């Protein structure tokens, strides 16, 4: 599972990624709207080991998680998770990037490659994303991908010490084909 885009190389996580991962996933600001807490040095080896084999959507709940390399450095990761059953052909997409590489379109470029993989190769029917609407940078990635904002669930969860809204964005295979 390897994908090359104009500027980036997407590939499974592997031993040795711990330092680059800690650089961004270890930060408070990066985890502000993620379910996770900042990654620690102690937890990093297990984090990598649990994710190196996430390369297929062949069973319900499977995930693909790819590290995103720029000039040989891991600057982020993107994931596509089978939601519902495989027969539903629904994929939930997500992205996490190093703030030091923000503002260049890298997240959008990597996510678009994953959307292409999801629709063109894995034959998904719908790809969707969920996010806190205050996470405007993430919402803009959805919009650049052509995803539709389908709605906002008000105070949908108790999240990191407060009630949080949840916005859902989605793109259908038929809409992707028209782009
Ligand atoms: C969400 C996140 C990936 C967005 O990062 P980002 O840098 O804003 O997104 P991109 O890499 O796609 O860059 C887009 C920006 O680069 C600009 N840009 C510059 N060159 C570009 C290019 N060639 N192509 C596209 N955009 C380009 C865009 O205009 C845009 O700027 P704007 O948002 O101010 O309009 C990042 O904020 C992040 O990792 N956050 C923490 C984790 C997180 O919250 N994940 C999502 C959970 S739902």
């Amino acid at each position: 599972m390897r994908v090359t885009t104009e500027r980036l190389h997407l590939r499974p996580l592997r031993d040795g990624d711990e330092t680059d991962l800690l650089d961004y996933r270890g930060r408070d600001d990066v985890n502000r709207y993620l379910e996770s807490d900042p990654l620690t040095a102690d937890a990093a080896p297990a984090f990598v080991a649990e994710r190196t084999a996430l390369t297929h959507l062949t069973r319900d709940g499977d995930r693909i998680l790819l590290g995103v390399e720029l000039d040989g450095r891991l600057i982020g990761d993107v994931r596509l998770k089978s939601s519902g059953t495989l027969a539903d052909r629904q994929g939930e997409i997500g992205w996490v990037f190093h703030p030091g590489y923000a503002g260049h379109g890298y997240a959008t470029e990597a996510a678009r490659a994953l959307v292409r993989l999801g629709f063109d190769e894995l034959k998904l029917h719908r790809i969707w994303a969920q996010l806190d609407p205050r996470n405007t940078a993430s919402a803009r990635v959805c919009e650049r991908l052509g995803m539709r904002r389908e709605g906002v669930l008000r105070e949908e969860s108790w999240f990191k010490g407060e009630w949080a809204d949840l916005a859902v964005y989605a793109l259908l295979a038929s809409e992707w084909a028209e782009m």
Side-chain angles (χ1 to χ4, degrees), residues 2 13 17 23 64 74 97 102 125 127 134 138-139 146 152 163 167:
R2 289 172 188 280
L13 291 189
D17 283 336
D23 262 0
I64 291 173
L74 194 75
F97 276 75
H125 179 72
I127 293 179
R134 293 173 295 180
S138 192
V152 176
W163 289 110

Side-chain angles (χ1 to χ4, degrees), residues 101-152:
Y101 294 87
H104 298 279
Y106 296 135
T108 303
E109 186 172 321
R112 188 172 285 122
L114 203 56
V115 169
R116 183 175 296 115
L117 179 83
F119 283 136
D120 296 353
E121 294 189 33
L122 303 176
K123 305 300 179 195
L124 293 177
H125 179 72
R126 174 176 175 266
I127 293 179
W128 64 286
Q130 53 178 321
L131 54 90
D132 188 314
R134 293 173 295 180
N135 193 351
T136 52
S138 192
R140 286 197 297 275
V141 174
C142 291
E143 286 157 9
R144 277 191 291 275
L145 292 173
M147 300 176 97
R148 193 171 358 87
R149 182 162 158 147
E150 298 200 316
V152 176

Side-chain angles (χ1 to χ4, degrees), residues 1-4 8-14 51-58 62-69 78-80 110 113-124:
M1 177 64 70
R2 289 172 188 280
V3 182
T4 299
L8 305 168
H9 184 57
L10 281 59
R11 47 89 176 157
L13 291 189
R14 59 183 181 226
R51 287 163 178 78
T52 50
L54 299 181
T55 56
H56 296 92
L57 299 190
T58 48
D62 271 357
R63 278 182 294 164
I64 291 173
L65 189 137
L66 299 176
V68 180
E69 271 184 18
V78 288
R79 65 151 187 151
L80 186 63
L114 203 56
V115 169
R116 183 175 296 115
L117 179 83
F119 283 136
D120 296 353
E121 294 189 33
L122 303 176
K123 305 300 179 195
L124 293 177

